[in-house]
Amino acid sequence: MQTNKNAQCKECLNKFYQKEIYTIQQFQYKEEPKYRWTLDFLKKLKIDEWDSFCEECIMIYSKKLDDAWNKQKSQVL
Ligand SMILES: [Zn+2]
């Protein structure tokens, strides 16, 4: 029986199994924004590539990212 949930989500601080943890590196597979832009944006939120998040919290950041990207796109036009 594997019971050691030793990975901690940086956002909600709950403990998870390592395999249930996500990092923002998965955002590099998004078509847009570009990963470079994503990193710069998240750096302002004090998040870097090695921070761990649970699925729920990574989805929240994914949404924040999309919102910020869409907002800045409309400002450029
Ligand atoms: Zn979390």
Side-chain angles (χ1 to χ4, degrees):
M1 189 170 77
Q2 201 203 353
T3 54
N4 54 328
K5 295 186 174 184
N6 54 9
Q8 186 177 39
C9 172
K10 180 184 163 122
E11 181 72 15
C12 63
L13 304 181
N14 288 329
K15 301 271 190 166
F16 296 89
Y17 296 115
Q18 197 65 47
K19 63 175 164 56
E20 296 171 336
I21 281 291
Y22 296 81
T23 68
I24 62 166
Q25 290 175 60
Q26 76 169 70
F27 293 158
Q28 64 190 296
Y29 304 113
K30 276 175 174 292
E31 205 157 299
E32 50 173 28
K34 290 277 178 265
Y35 193 48
R36 189 70 249 163
W37 193 92
T38 299
L39 287 181
D40 286 345
F41 172 74
L42 292 171
K43 199 196 268 178
K44 288 180 210 148
L45 301 178
K46 303 206 183 326
I47 292 166
D48 72 34
E49 284 186 279
W50 314 108
D51 289 332
S52 306
F53 296 97
C54 68
E55 187 173 14
E56 204 170 307
C57 294
I58 201 82
M59 290 309 290
I60 292 169
Y61 278 108
S62 179
K63 175 143 194 350
K64 277 187 193 181
L65 182 63
D66 288 342
D67 288 349
W69 173 245
N70 289 328
K71 207 170 176 185
Q72 91 125 40
K73 261 201 314 196
S74 61
Q75 279 167 1
V76 170
L77 292 174

